[in-house]
Short mmCIF file of all heavy atoms in Angstrom, two decimals:
data_model
loop_
_atom_site.label_atom_id
_atom_site.label_comp_id
_atom_site.label_asym_id
_atom_site.label_seq_id
_atom_site.Cartn_x
_atom_site.Cartn_y
_atom_site.Cartn_z
N ALA A 874 14.49 -14.44 3.22
CA ALA A 874 13.40 -14.77 4.13
C ALA A 874 12.73 -16.05 3.67
O ALA A 874 12.64 -16.33 2.48
CB ALA A 874 12.40 -13.63 4.18
N PRO A 875 12.25 -16.88 4.61
CA PRO A 875 11.53 -18.10 4.21
C PRO A 875 10.24 -17.74 3.51
O PRO A 875 9.69 -16.66 3.71
CB PRO A 875 11.27 -18.79 5.56
CG PRO A 875 11.34 -17.70 6.57
CD PRO A 875 12.34 -16.73 6.05
N PRO A 876 9.69 -18.64 2.69
CA PRO A 876 8.48 -18.33 1.94
C PRO A 876 7.35 -17.83 2.81
O PRO A 876 6.57 -16.97 2.41
CB PRO A 876 8.13 -19.66 1.27
CG PRO A 876 9.45 -20.37 1.16
CD PRO A 876 10.23 -19.98 2.37
N SER A 877 7.24 -18.34 4.05
CA SER A 877 6.13 -17.95 4.90
C SER A 877 6.22 -16.49 5.34
O SER A 877 5.25 -15.91 5.80
CB SER A 877 6.06 -18.85 6.14
OG SER A 877 7.27 -18.76 6.88
N ALA A 878 7.46 -15.93 5.22
CA ALA A 878 7.65 -14.55 5.66
C ALA A 878 7.32 -13.54 4.58
O ALA A 878 7.28 -12.35 4.83
CB ALA A 878 9.09 -14.33 6.14
N VAL A 879 7.08 -14.04 3.37
CA VAL A 879 6.78 -13.13 2.27
C VAL A 879 5.37 -12.57 2.46
O VAL A 879 4.42 -13.31 2.75
CB VAL A 879 6.89 -13.85 0.91
CG1 VAL A 879 6.48 -12.94 -0.22
CG2 VAL A 879 8.31 -14.36 0.73
N SER A 880 5.21 -11.28 2.27
CA SER A 880 3.91 -10.65 2.47
C SER A 880 2.91 -11.15 1.44
O SER A 880 3.25 -11.40 0.27
CB SER A 880 4.03 -9.12 2.35
OG SER A 880 4.91 -8.63 3.33
N ALA A 881 1.66 -11.31 1.88
CA ALA A 881 0.60 -11.71 0.96
C ALA A 881 0.26 -10.56 0.04
O ALA A 881 0.47 -9.40 0.39
CB ALA A 881 -0.64 -12.12 1.76
N PRO A 882 -0.25 -10.84 -1.17
CA PRO A 882 -0.63 -9.76 -2.07
C PRO A 882 -1.62 -8.81 -1.41
O PRO A 882 -2.52 -9.22 -0.70
CB PRO A 882 -1.27 -10.50 -3.26
CG PRO A 882 -0.70 -11.89 -3.19
CD PRO A 882 -0.50 -12.17 -1.74
N ALA A 883 -1.44 -7.56 -1.66
CA ALA A 883 -2.31 -6.56 -1.05
C ALA A 883 -3.71 -6.63 -1.66
O ALA A 883 -3.87 -6.89 -2.85
CB ALA A 883 -1.72 -5.18 -1.24
N SER A 884 -4.70 -6.42 -0.83
CA SER A 884 -6.07 -6.39 -1.32
C SER A 884 -6.33 -5.08 -2.05
O SER A 884 -5.54 -4.14 -1.97
CB SER A 884 -7.04 -6.53 -0.14
OG SER A 884 -6.94 -5.37 0.69
N ALA A 885 -7.46 -5.02 -2.75
CA ALA A 885 -7.82 -3.79 -3.45
C ALA A 885 -7.98 -2.63 -2.47
O ALA A 885 -7.58 -1.50 -2.76
CB ALA A 885 -9.12 -4.01 -4.24
N ALA A 886 -8.54 -2.93 -1.29
CA ALA A 886 -8.71 -1.87 -0.29
C ALA A 886 -7.36 -1.37 0.21
O ALA A 886 -7.17 -0.17 0.40
CB ALA A 886 -9.54 -2.39 0.88
N ASP A 887 -6.40 -2.31 0.40
CA ASP A 887 -5.06 -1.91 0.84
C ASP A 887 -4.39 -1.04 -0.20
O ASP A 887 -3.74 -0.04 0.13
CB ASP A 887 -4.20 -3.14 1.13
CG ASP A 887 -4.68 -3.89 2.37
OD1 ASP A 887 -5.37 -3.27 3.20
OD2 ASP A 887 -4.37 -5.10 2.48
N ARG A 888 -4.51 -1.45 -1.47
CA ARG A 888 -3.90 -0.67 -2.55
C ARG A 888 -4.52 0.72 -2.62
O ARG A 888 -3.82 1.72 -2.82
CB ARG A 888 -4.04 -1.39 -3.88
CG ARG A 888 -3.16 -2.64 -4.00
CD ARG A 888 -3.07 -3.09 -5.45
NE ARG A 888 -4.38 -3.45 -5.99
CZ ARG A 888 -4.89 -4.68 -5.92
NH1 ARG A 888 -4.21 -5.65 -5.32
NH2 ARG A 888 -6.07 -4.95 -6.43
N ALA A 889 -5.83 0.80 -2.47
CA ALA A 889 -6.50 2.10 -2.52
C ALA A 889 -6.05 2.98 -1.38
O ALA A 889 -5.81 4.19 -1.55
CB ALA A 889 -8.02 1.90 -2.48
N ALA A 890 -5.92 2.39 -0.19
CA ALA A 890 -5.46 3.17 0.97
C ALA A 890 -4.04 3.66 0.76
O ALA A 890 -3.70 4.80 1.11
CB ALA A 890 -5.54 2.32 2.23
N SER A 891 -3.19 2.80 0.17
CA SER A 891 -1.81 3.20 -0.10
C SER A 891 -1.76 4.33 -1.11
O SER A 891 -1.00 5.29 -0.96
CB SER A 891 -1.00 2.00 -0.61
OG SER A 891 0.30 2.38 -0.97
N ASP A 892 -2.60 4.23 -2.16
CA ASP A 892 -2.64 5.28 -3.18
C ASP A 892 -3.10 6.60 -2.58
O ASP A 892 -2.57 7.67 -2.90
CB ASP A 892 -3.58 4.88 -4.33
CG ASP A 892 -3.02 3.74 -5.16
OD1 ASP A 892 -1.79 3.48 -5.04
OD2 ASP A 892 -3.79 3.11 -5.90
N ARG A 893 -4.10 6.53 -1.69
CA ARG A 893 -4.60 7.75 -1.05
C ARG A 893 -3.51 8.39 -0.19
O ARG A 893 -3.35 9.61 -0.16
CB ARG A 893 -5.83 7.46 -0.21
CG ARG A 893 -7.11 7.27 -1.01
CD ARG A 893 -8.34 7.37 -0.11
NE ARG A 893 -8.34 6.32 0.92
CZ ARG A 893 -8.84 5.11 0.76
NH1 ARG A 893 -9.40 4.77 -0.41
NH2 ARG A 893 -8.81 4.23 1.74
N ALA A 894 -2.74 7.54 0.51
CA ALA A 894 -1.66 8.06 1.35
C ALA A 894 -0.61 8.76 0.51
O ALA A 894 -0.10 9.83 0.89
CB ALA A 894 -1.04 6.93 2.16
N VAL A 895 -0.27 8.17 -0.63
CA VAL A 895 0.71 8.78 -1.53
C VAL A 895 0.20 10.13 -2.04
O VAL A 895 0.93 11.13 -2.06
CB VAL A 895 1.04 7.84 -2.70
CG1 VAL A 895 1.87 8.56 -3.76
CG2 VAL A 895 1.79 6.61 -2.21
N LEU A 896 -1.08 10.14 -2.45
CA LEU A 896 -1.65 11.39 -2.95
C LEU A 896 -1.70 12.45 -1.86
O LEU A 896 -1.47 13.63 -2.11
CB LEU A 896 -3.05 11.13 -3.51
CG LEU A 896 -3.11 10.33 -4.83
CD1 LEU A 896 -4.56 10.02 -5.19
CD2 LEU A 896 -2.43 11.11 -5.95
N ASP A 897 -2.04 12.02 -0.63
CA ASP A 897 -2.09 12.98 0.48
C ASP A 897 -0.72 13.59 0.73
O ASP A 897 -0.59 14.79 0.95
CB ASP A 897 -2.60 12.28 1.75
CG ASP A 897 -4.09 11.97 1.67
OD1 ASP A 897 -4.76 12.55 0.79
OD2 ASP A 897 -4.56 11.14 2.48
N ARG A 898 0.32 12.74 0.72
CA ARG A 898 1.67 13.26 0.93
C ARG A 898 2.08 14.20 -0.18
O ARG A 898 2.68 15.25 0.05
CB ARG A 898 2.68 12.10 1.04
CG ARG A 898 2.59 11.34 2.35
CD ARG A 898 3.83 10.49 2.56
NE ARG A 898 3.99 9.49 1.52
CZ ARG A 898 3.46 8.27 1.58
NH1 ARG A 898 2.72 7.91 2.61
NH2 ARG A 898 3.65 7.41 0.60
N ALA A 899 1.77 13.81 -1.44
CA ALA A 899 2.11 14.67 -2.58
C ALA A 899 1.36 16.00 -2.49
O ALA A 899 1.92 17.07 -2.76
CB ALA A 899 1.79 13.95 -3.89
N GLY A 900 0.08 15.93 -2.10
CA GLY A 900 -0.69 17.17 -1.98
C GLY A 900 -0.15 18.08 -0.90
O GLY A 900 -0.06 19.29 -1.09
N ALA A 901 0.22 17.50 0.24
CA ALA A 901 0.78 18.30 1.32
C ALA A 901 2.09 18.94 0.91
O ALA A 901 2.35 20.11 1.20
CB ALA A 901 0.99 17.42 2.56
N SER A 902 2.91 18.18 0.19
CA SER A 902 4.19 18.72 -0.28
C SER A 902 3.97 19.85 -1.26
O SER A 902 4.65 20.88 -1.21
CB SER A 902 5.02 17.61 -0.93
OG SER A 902 6.22 18.10 -1.45
#
């Protein structure tokens, strides 16, 4: 992919939301 297509670093809020989603899935499992 060209450099412009590379995703920007995730913000702290994005990382926190991703972590919560992982924990939610693990908890449900």
Side-chain angles (χ1 to χ4, degrees):
S877 59
V879 176
S880 300
S884 66
D887 291 339
R888 289 195 298 270
S891 176
D892 290 344
R893 283 196 299 272
V895 170
L896 289 174
D897 288 344
R898 286 196 298 271
S902 177

